[in-house]
């Protein structure tokens, strides 16, 4: 579940180093500027930022749908999803975003590349063999570029509420708005329980700056 990002125990994280802080460290508060952050806190920061991003997206999308109806909510997503990401990045001092599973993106800016492309492929393979999308979690500390302390990603599950904009039977008014903003839309045809994509976060090595 989008809303559950970061709140449930991480089942099989990739390459997690053992540390004194539990993996599911609760709500991290952003460290004061200039604070030296020990390695385990980076994961808590990534988790808190991802959770905040997922919850804000979900809450604001729900509000827009209730207030203006689903076709207008397409415009909302188009304008607000990137802005919400910007806000959460600024507040948490991390980079984050969402990407689609390979070949299934709506916004061309959400194509999984590099490390996210690799993870998307392995998450998809795990889901194809029975894994739950939201149970796919990776935490990377090794092989990250200079200036980055930690990278984290989690699978996003397609829920019933997503189908009106990502499923098979898209209402004509919604389809028209989608075609207007996303002429090359490849993010329809999903089924409930599919892996839709990944939510990711990147924590800079130097707290308070983004890489
Ligand atoms: C009202 C229509 C609508 C609903 C409902 C909706 N989405 Fe989307 N979704 C969009 C639009 C529009 C975009 C493109 C946003 C952008 O331009 O950044 C998008 C993009 C995404 C992306 C980014 C990857 C990509 O292909 O661009 C993910 C992941 C995603 N949606 C998941 C979900 C999930 C999971 C749900 C259900 C919890 C959901 N969406 C419900 C309209 C919707």
């Amino acid at each position: 579940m989008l809303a559950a990002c970061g709140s449930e125990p991480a089942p099989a994280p990739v390459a997690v180093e053992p540390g004194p802080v539990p993996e599911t460290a609760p709500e991290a508060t952003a460290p004061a500027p200039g604070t030296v952050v020990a390695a385990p806190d980076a994961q808590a920061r990534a988790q808190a930022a991802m959770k905040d991003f997922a919850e804000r997206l979900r809450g604001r999308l729900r509000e827009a749908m209730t207030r203006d109806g689903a076709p207008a909510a397409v415009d909302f997503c188009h304008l607000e999803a990137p802005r919400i990401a910007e806000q959460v990045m600024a507040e948490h001092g991390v980079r984050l975003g969402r990407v689609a599973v390979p070949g299934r993106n709506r916004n061309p800016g959400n194509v999984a590349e590099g490390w996210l492309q690799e993870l998307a492929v392995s998450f998809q393979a795990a889901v194809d063999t029975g894994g739950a999308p939201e149970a796919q979690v990776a935490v990377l500390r090794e092989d990250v570029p200079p200036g980055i302390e930690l990278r984290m990603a989690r699978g996003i599950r397609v829920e019933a509420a997503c189908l009106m904009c990502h499923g098979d039977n898209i209402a004509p008014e919604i389809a028209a708005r989608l075609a207007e903003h996303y002429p090359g839309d490849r993010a329809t045809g999903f089924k409930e329980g599919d892996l839709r994509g990944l939510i990711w976060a990147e924590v800079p090595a130097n707290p308070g700056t983004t890489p």
Side-chain angles (χ1 to χ4, degrees), residues 40 58 105 123 126 200:
R58 169 181 291 255
N105 62 291
F123 283 12
W200 62 270

Side-chain angles (χ1 to χ4, degrees), residues 8-18 22-24 43 47 119 122-123 134-141 150-154:
E8 72 275 66
V14 178
V16 176
E17 284 165 6
E23 277 160 32
T24 49
Q43 186 173 341
Q47 278 180 314
L119 285 179
S122 71
F123 283 12
E134 68 280 12
Q136 308 310 314
V137 179
V139 179
L140 310 174
R141 293 175 190 277
L150 174 138
R151 284 171 159 171
M152 183 168 181
R154 180 185 297 277

Side-chain angles (χ1 to χ4, degrees), residues 165-191:
C165 297
H166 292 294
D168 280 319
N169 296 309
I170 314 264
E173 322 81 79
I174 296 179
R177 303 278 182 117
L178 290 174
E180 187 187 318
H181 295 303
Y182 310 97
D185 186 16
R186 296 193 286 175
T188 59
F190 284 93
K191 310 248 182 300

Side-chain angles (χ1 to χ4, degrees), residues 2 58 61 65 70 73-74 77-78 81-82 98-100 104-107 110 156-159 161-162 164-166 174 178 182 187 196-198:
L2 258 184
R58 169 181 291 255
L61 174 60
M65 288 182 47
V74 172
C77 264
H78 174 68
R98 297 184 300 173
V99 292
R104 311 284 308 267
N105 62 291
R106 174 154 288 163
N107 185 326
N110 294 334
I156 301 172
R157 182 191 191 89
V158 176
E159 297 166 43
C162 318
M164 74 171 72
C165 297
H166 292 294
I174 296 179
L178 290 174
Y182 310 97
R196 173 67 186 82
L198 278 61

